[in-house]
Every structure is written in C-alpha cells, then in structure tokens.
PDB file of all heavy atoms in Angstrom:
ATOM      1  N   ILE H   1     -16.414  -5.727   9.858  1.00  0.00           N
ATOM      2  CA  ILE H   1     -16.155  -6.890  10.746  1.00  0.00           C
ATOM      3  C   ILE H   1     -15.758  -6.351  12.098  1.00  0.00           C
ATOM      4  O   ILE H   1     -14.622  -5.811  12.208  1.00  0.00           O
ATOM      5  CB  ILE H   1     -15.204  -7.910  10.130  1.00  0.00           C
ATOM      6  CG1 ILE H   1     -15.645  -8.354   8.735  1.00  0.00           C
ATOM      7  CG2 ILE H   1     -15.025  -9.060  11.092  1.00  0.00           C
ATOM      8  CD1 ILE H   1     -14.691  -9.246   8.041  1.00  0.00           C
ATOM      9  N   PRO H   2     -16.552  -6.496  13.158  1.00  0.00           N
ATOM     10  CA  PRO H   2     -16.155  -5.962  14.461  1.00  0.00           C
ATOM     11  C   PRO H   2     -14.764  -6.403  14.962  1.00  0.00           C
ATOM     12  O   PRO H   2     -14.052  -5.577  15.509  1.00  0.00           O
ATOM     13  CB  PRO H   2     -17.287  -6.402  15.370  1.00  0.00           C
ATOM     14  CG  PRO H   2     -18.419  -6.609  14.468  1.00  0.00           C
ATOM     15  CD  PRO H   2     -17.881  -7.110  13.192  1.00  0.00           C
ATOM     16  N   ASP H   3     -14.440  -7.643  14.802  1.00  0.00           N
ATOM     17  CA  ASP H   3     -13.221  -8.113  15.344  1.00  0.00           C
ATOM     18  C   ASP H   3     -12.014  -7.491  14.640  1.00  0.00           C
ATOM     19  O   ASP H   3     -10.923  -7.309  15.265  1.00  0.00           O
ATOM     20  CB  ASP H   3     -13.089  -9.660  15.216  1.00  0.00           C
ATOM     21  CG  ASP H   3     -13.871 -10.401  16.332  1.00  0.00           C
ATOM     22  OD1 ASP H   3     -14.323  -9.710  17.233  1.00  0.00           O
ATOM     23  OD2 ASP H   3     -13.986 -11.632  16.277  1.00  0.00           O
ATOM     24  N   LEU H   4     -12.137  -7.151  13.375  1.00  0.00           N
ATOM     25  CA  LEU H   4     -11.038  -6.510  12.653  1.00  0.00           C
ATOM     26  C   LEU H   4     -10.895  -5.078  13.156  1.00  0.00           C
ATOM     27  O   LEU H   4      -9.782  -4.573  13.356  1.00  0.00           O
ATOM     28  CB  LEU H   4     -11.280  -6.489  11.143  1.00  0.00           C
ATOM     29  CG  LEU H   4     -11.272  -7.851  10.446  1.00  0.00           C
ATOM     30  CD1 LEU H   4     -11.528  -7.669   8.961  1.00  0.00           C
ATOM     31  CD2 LEU H   4      -9.903  -8.530  10.705  1.00  0.00           C
ATOM     32  N   ARG H   5     -11.990  -4.378  13.395  1.00  0.00           N
ATOM     33  CA  ARG H   5     -11.898  -3.042  13.965  1.00  0.00           C
ATOM     34  C   ARG H   5     -11.283  -3.091  15.390  1.00  0.00           C
ATOM     35  O   ARG H   5     -10.417  -2.254  15.748  1.00  0.00           O
ATOM     36  CB  ARG H   5     -13.258  -2.373  14.078  1.00  0.00           C
ATOM     37  CG  ARG H   5     -13.934  -2.133  12.737  1.00  0.00           C
ATOM     38  CD  ARG H   5     -15.057  -1.104  12.826  1.00  0.00           C
ATOM     39  NE  ARG H   5     -16.066  -1.530  13.889  1.00  0.00           N
ATOM     40  CZ  ARG H   5     -17.085  -2.241  13.640  1.00  0.00           C
ATOM     41  NH1 ARG H   5     -17.357  -2.716  12.397  1.00  0.00           N
ATOM     42  NH2 ARG H   5     -17.999  -2.541  14.619  1.00  0.00           N
ATOM     43  N   SER H   6     -11.637  -4.084  16.184  1.00  0.00           N
ATOM     44  CA  SER H   6     -11.121  -4.182  17.493  1.00  0.00           C
ATOM     45  C   SER H   6      -9.611  -4.433  17.488  1.00  0.00           C
ATOM     46  O   SER H   6      -8.853  -3.915  18.298  1.00  0.00           O
ATOM     47  CB  SER H   6     -11.809  -5.314  18.291  1.00  0.00           C
ATOM     48  OG  SER H   6     -13.185  -5.036  18.472  1.00  0.00           O
ATOM     49  N   ALA H   7      -9.166  -5.371  16.575  1.00  0.00           N
ATOM     50  CA  ALA H   7      -7.727  -5.617  16.473  1.00  0.00           C
ATOM     51  C   ALA H   7      -6.959  -4.398  16.091  1.00  0.00           C
ATOM     52  O   ALA H   7      -5.893  -4.108  16.577  1.00  0.00           O
ATOM     53  CB  ALA H   7      -7.482  -6.761  15.480  1.00  0.00           C
ATOM     54  N   PHE H   8      -7.507  -3.634  15.123  1.00  0.00           N
ATOM     55  CA  PHE H   8      -6.850  -2.344  14.717  1.00  0.00           C
ATOM     56  C   PHE H   8      -6.727  -1.437  15.944  1.00  0.00           C
ATOM     57  O   PHE H   8      -5.645  -0.877  16.194  1.00  0.00           O
ATOM     58  CB  PHE H   8      -7.772  -1.682  13.682  1.00  0.00           C
ATOM     59  CG  PHE H   8      -7.407  -0.246  13.457  1.00  0.00           C
ATOM     60  CD1 PHE H   8      -6.415   0.095  12.544  1.00  0.00           C
ATOM     61  CD2 PHE H   8      -8.108   0.777  14.112  1.00  0.00           C
ATOM     62  CE1 PHE H   8      -6.039   1.441  12.349  1.00  0.00           C
ATOM     63  CE2 PHE H   8      -7.718   2.102  13.903  1.00  0.00           C
ATOM     64  CZ  PHE H   8      -6.712   2.440  12.996  1.00  0.00           C
ATOM     65  N   GLN H   9      -7.785  -1.306  16.726  1.00  0.00           N
ATOM     66  CA  GLN H   9      -7.767  -0.432  17.906  1.00  0.00           C
ATOM     67  C   GLN H   9      -6.785  -0.900  18.969  1.00  0.00           C
ATOM     68  O   GLN H   9      -6.019  -0.079  19.545  1.00  0.00           O
ATOM     69  CB  GLN H   9      -9.113  -0.278  18.531  1.00  0.00           C
ATOM     70  CG  GLN H   9     -10.199   0.432  17.686  1.00  0.00           C
ATOM     71  CD  GLN H   9      -9.949   1.881  17.531  1.00  0.00           C
ATOM     72  OE1 GLN H   9      -9.012   2.492  18.125  1.00  0.00           O
ATOM     73  NE2 GLN H   9     -10.774   2.508  16.671  1.00  0.00           N
ATOM     74  N   ALA H  10      -6.653  -2.228  19.170  1.00  0.00           N
ATOM     75  CA  ALA H  10      -5.728  -2.723  20.126  1.00  0.00           C
ATOM     76  C   ALA H  10      -4.338  -2.415  19.733  1.00  0.00           C
ATOM     77  O   ALA H  10      -3.515  -1.898  20.627  1.00  0.00           O
ATOM     78  CB  ALA H  10      -5.897  -4.238  20.245  1.00  0.00           C
ATOM     79  N   VAL H  11      -3.932  -2.634  18.514  1.00  0.00           N
ATOM     80  CA  VAL H  11      -2.546  -2.442  18.142  1.00  0.00           C
ATOM     81  C   VAL H  11      -2.262  -0.891  18.133  1.00  0.00           C
ATOM     82  O   VAL H  11      -1.203  -0.450  18.559  1.00  0.00           O
ATOM     83  CB  VAL H  11      -2.231  -3.046  16.786  1.00  0.00           C
ATOM     84  CG1 VAL H  11      -0.772  -2.781  16.358  1.00  0.00           C
ATOM     85  CG2 VAL H  11      -2.492  -4.548  16.801  1.00  0.00           C
ATOM     86  N   ARG H  12      -3.182  -0.110  17.597  1.00  0.00           N
ATOM     87  CA  ARG H  12      -3.001   1.333  17.512  1.00  0.00           C
ATOM     88  C   ARG H  12      -2.735   1.903  18.889  1.00  0.00           C
ATOM     89  O   ARG H  12      -1.782   2.664  19.144  1.00  0.00           O
ATOM     90  CB  ARG H  12      -4.196   1.995  16.868  1.00  0.00           C
ATOM     91  CG  ARG H  12      -4.076   3.546  16.788  1.00  0.00           C
ATOM     92  CD  ARG H  12      -5.404   4.184  16.367  1.00  0.00           C
ATOM     93  NE  ARG H  12      -6.455   3.971  17.363  1.00  0.00           N
ATOM     94  CZ  ARG H  12      -6.585   4.672  18.465  1.00  0.00           C
ATOM     95  NH1 ARG H  12      -5.757   5.671  18.757  1.00  0.00           N
ATOM     96  NH2 ARG H  12      -7.573   4.425  19.275  1.00  0.00           N
ATOM     97  N   ARG H  13      -3.667   1.553  19.854  1.00  0.00           N
ATOM     98  CA  ARG H  13      -3.536   2.163  21.193  1.00  0.00           C
ATOM     99  C   ARG H  13      -2.264   1.765  21.899  1.00  0.00           C
ATOM    100  O   ARG H  13      -1.583   2.539  22.496  1.00  0.00           O
ATOM    101  CB  ARG H  13      -4.746   1.815  22.072  1.00  0.00           C
ATOM    102  CG  ARG H  13      -6.053   2.518  21.624  1.00  0.00           C
ATOM    103  CD  ARG H  13      -7.114   2.434  22.688  1.00  0.00           C
ATOM    104  NE  ARG H  13      -7.513   1.080  22.961  1.00  0.00           N
ATOM    105  CZ  ARG H  13      -7.352   0.468  24.147  1.00  0.00           C
ATOM    106  NH1 ARG H  13      -6.738   1.095  25.139  1.00  0.00           N
ATOM    107  NH2 ARG H  13      -7.775  -0.751  24.330  1.00  0.00           N
ATOM    108  N   LEU H  14      -2.004   0.465  21.855  1.00  0.00           N
ATOM    109  CA  LEU H  14      -0.817  -0.097  22.590  1.00  0.00           C
ATOM    110  C   LEU H  14       0.473   0.338  21.949  1.00  0.00           C
ATOM    111  O   LEU H  14       1.425   0.678  22.664  1.00  0.00           O
ATOM    112  CB  LEU H  14      -0.931  -1.605  22.677  1.00  0.00           C
ATOM    113  CG  LEU H  14      -2.059  -2.137  23.568  1.00  0.00           C
ATOM    114  CD1 LEU H  14      -2.110  -3.683  23.474  1.00  0.00           C
ATOM    115  CD2 LEU H  14      -1.862  -1.727  24.997  1.00  0.00           C
ATOM    116  N   ALA H  15       0.563   0.376  20.614  1.00  0.00           N
ATOM    117  CA  ALA H  15       1.819   0.742  19.963  1.00  0.00           C
ATOM    118  C   ALA H  15       2.135   2.175  20.290  1.00  0.00           C
ATOM    119  O   ALA H  15       3.270   2.545  20.578  1.00  0.00           O
ATOM    120  CB  ALA H  15       1.687   0.513  18.443  1.00  0.00           C
ATOM    121  N   THR H  16       1.153   3.086  20.194  1.00  0.00           N
ATOM    122  CA  THR H  16       1.465   4.508  20.451  1.00  0.00           C
ATOM    123  C   THR H  16       1.687   4.771  21.923  1.00  0.00           C
ATOM    124  O   THR H  16       2.600   5.521  22.296  1.00  0.00           O
ATOM    125  CB  THR H  16       0.289   5.392  19.935  1.00  0.00           C
ATOM    126  OG1 THR H  16      -0.965   4.913  20.486  1.00  0.00           O
ATOM    127  CG2 THR H  16       0.179   5.351  18.413  1.00  0.00           C
ATOM    128  N   PHE H  17       0.964   4.076  22.814  1.00  0.00           N
ATOM    129  CA  PHE H  17       1.197   4.265  24.242  1.00  0.00           C
ATOM    130  C   PHE H  17       2.609   3.794  24.589  1.00  0.00           C
ATOM    131  O   PHE H  17       3.333   4.576  25.282  1.00  0.00           O
ATOM    132  CB  PHE H  17       0.202   3.424  25.061  1.00  0.00           C
ATOM    133  CG  PHE H  17       0.521   3.349  26.503  1.00  0.00           C
ATOM    134  CD1 PHE H  17       0.299   4.430  27.316  1.00  0.00           C
ATOM    135  CD2 PHE H  17       1.065   2.212  27.062  1.00  0.00           C
ATOM    136  CE1 PHE H  17       0.605   4.419  28.682  1.00  0.00           C
ATOM    137  CE2 PHE H  17       1.350   2.166  28.445  1.00  0.00           C
ATOM    138  CZ  PHE H  17       1.191   3.242  29.222  1.00  0.00           C
ATOM    139  N   HIS H  18       3.003   2.669  24.211  1.00  0.00           N
ATOM    140  CA  HIS H  18       4.318   2.166  24.598  1.00  0.00           C
ATOM    141  C   HIS H  18       5.476   2.928  23.891  1.00  0.00           C
ATOM    142  O   HIS H  18       6.571   3.084  24.473  1.00  0.00           O
ATOM    143  CB  HIS H  18       4.446   0.697  24.317  1.00  0.00           C
ATOM    144  CG  HIS H  18       3.705  -0.166  25.295  1.00  0.00           C
ATOM    145  ND1 HIS H  18       4.082  -0.234  26.636  1.00  0.00           N
ATOM    146  CD2 HIS H  18       2.630  -0.937  25.137  1.00  0.00           C
ATOM    147  CE1 HIS H  18       3.217  -1.048  27.287  1.00  0.00           C
ATOM    148  NE2 HIS H  18       2.370  -1.476  26.428  1.00  0.00           N
ATOM    149  N   TYR H  19       5.201   3.464  22.745  1.00  0.00           N
ATOM    150  CA  TYR H  19       6.234   4.297  22.034  1.00  0.00           C
ATOM    151  C   TYR H  19       6.573   5.508  22.850  1.00  0.00           C
ATOM    152  O   TYR H  19       7.718   5.830  23.032  1.00  0.00           O
ATOM    153  CB  TYR H  19       5.751   4.687  20.630  1.00  0.00           C
ATOM    154  CG  TYR H  19       6.744   5.380  19.838  1.00  0.00           C
ATOM    155  CD1 TYR H  19       7.751   4.693  19.113  1.00  0.00           C
ATOM    156  CD2 TYR H  19       6.740   6.807  19.763  1.00  0.00           C
ATOM    157  CE1 TYR H  19       8.711   5.366  18.409  1.00  0.00           C
ATOM    158  CE2 TYR H  19       7.717   7.483  19.061  1.00  0.00           C
ATOM    159  CZ  TYR H  19       8.692   6.787  18.339  1.00  0.00           C
ATOM    160  OH  TYR H  19       9.670   7.456  17.610  1.00  0.00           O
ATOM    161  N   TYR H  20       5.586   6.168  23.339  1.00  0.00           N
ATOM    162  CA  TYR H  20       5.798   7.425  24.052  1.00  0.00           C
ATOM    163  C   TYR H  20       6.106   7.268  25.520  1.00  0.00           C
ATOM    164  O   TYR H  20       6.749   8.113  26.145  1.00  0.00           O
ATOM    165  CB  TYR H  20       4.641   8.382  23.879  1.00  0.00           C
ATOM    166  CG  TYR H  20       4.592   8.970  22.465  1.00  0.00           C
ATOM    167  CD1 TYR H  20       3.695   8.463  21.541  1.00  0.00           C
ATOM    168  CD2 TYR H  20       5.402  10.039  22.108  1.00  0.00           C
ATOM    169  CE1 TYR H  20       3.643   9.012  20.225  1.00  0.00           C
ATOM    170  CE2 TYR H  20       5.385  10.580  20.794  1.00  0.00           C
ATOM    171  CZ  TYR H  20       4.485  10.033  19.916  1.00  0.00           C
ATOM    172  OH  TYR H  20       4.432  10.535  18.596  1.00  0.00           O
ATOM    173  N   SER H  21       5.653   6.225  26.117  1.00  0.00           N
ATOM    174  CA  SER H  21       5.789   6.021  27.626  1.00  0.00           C
ATOM    175  C   SER H  21       6.978   5.173  27.990  1.00  0.00           C
ATOM    176  O   SER H  21       7.462   5.293  29.120  1.00  0.00           O
ATOM    177  CB  SER H  21       4.528   5.382  28.170  1.00  0.00           C
ATOM    178  OG  SER H  21       4.387   4.059  27.709  1.00  0.00           O
ATOM    179  N   ALA H  22       7.514   4.376  27.041  1.00  0.00           N
ATOM    180  CA  ALA H  22       8.620   3.448  27.419  1.00  0.00           C
ATOM    181  C   ALA H  22       9.869   4.188  27.783  1.00  0.00           C
ATOM    182  O   ALA H  22      10.263   5.143  27.095  1.00  0.00           O
ATOM    183  CB  ALA H  22       8.847   2.448  26.284  1.00  0.00           C
ATOM    184  N   SER H  23      10.542   3.738  28.817  1.00  0.00           N
ATOM    185  CA  SER H  23      11.823   4.269  29.208  1.00  0.00           C
ATOM    186  C   SER H  23      12.894   3.430  28.614  1.00  0.00           C
ATOM    187  O   SER H  23      12.880   2.216  28.787  1.00  0.00           O
ATOM    188  CB  SER H  23      11.917   4.297  30.717  1.00  0.00           C
ATOM    189  OG  SER H  23      13.260   4.672  31.094  1.00  0.00           O
ATOM    190  N   THR H  24      13.811   4.030  27.936  1.00  0.00           N
ATOM    191  CA  THR H  24      14.915   3.298  27.338  1.00  0.00           C
ATOM    192  C   THR H  24      16.182   3.329  28.228  1.00  0.00           C
ATOM    193  O   THR H  24      17.159   2.715  27.862  1.00  0.00           O
ATOM    194  CB  THR H  24      15.290   3.885  25.955  1.00  0.00           C
ATOM    195  OG1 THR H  24      15.688   5.299  26.146  1.00  0.00           O
ATOM    196  CG2 THR H  24      14.123   3.863  25.001  1.00  0.00           C
ATOM    197  N   GLY H  25      16.086   4.002  29.366  1.00  0.00           N
ATOM    198  CA  GLY H  25      17.245   4.086  30.255  1.00  0.00           C
ATOM    199  C   GLY H  25      18.142   5.243  29.912  1.00  0.00           C
ATOM    200  O   GLY H  25      19.099   5.499  30.723  1.00  0.00           O
ATOM    201  N   ARG H  26      17.862   5.938  28.865  1.00  0.00           N
ATOM    202  CA  ARG H  26      18.726   7.082  28.487  1.00  0.00           C
ATOM    203  C   ARG H  26      18.217   8.338  29.269  1.00  0.00           C
ATOM    204  O   ARG H  26      17.015   8.607  29.306  1.00  0.00           O
ATOM    205  CB  ARG H  26      18.628   7.392  26.985  1.00  0.00           C
ATOM    206  CG  ARG H  26      19.357   6.371  26.153  1.00  0.00           C
ATOM    207  CD  ARG H  26      19.209   6.678  24.658  1.00  0.00           C
ATOM    208  NE  ARG H  26      19.552   8.064  24.301  1.00  0.00           N
ATOM    209  CZ  ARG H  26      19.610   8.493  23.061  1.00  0.00           C
ATOM    210  NH1 ARG H  26      19.280   7.737  22.077  1.00  0.00           N
ATOM    211  NH2 ARG H  26      19.911   9.805  22.867  1.00  0.00           N
TER     212      ARG H  26
END
C-alpha cells in the first residue's frame, strides 16, 4: 500500500533528522 510506505518514510526521515539536529541548549 503506497500510503503506508510513505507514512513510514515520513516518520523515519523526520524522527532521525530531528534527533540528531535538534539543539537542547546544552
């Protein structure tokens, strides 16, 4: 199902991007 693959990609890309790029102020 294309929409399920797309949802997987959206969360995967954004979760990993924000995990490594986010500044916590420390």
Side-chain angles (χ1 to χ4, degrees):
I1 302 175
D3 280 354
L4 293 181
R5 295 198 306 271
S6 296
F8 166 86
Q9 295 290 355
V11 181
R12 179 190 64 82
R13 289 196 297 116
L14 291 174
T16 52
F17 169 75
H18 285 294
Y19 184 83
Y20 287 100
S21 66
S23 172
T24 60
R26 289 178 52 176

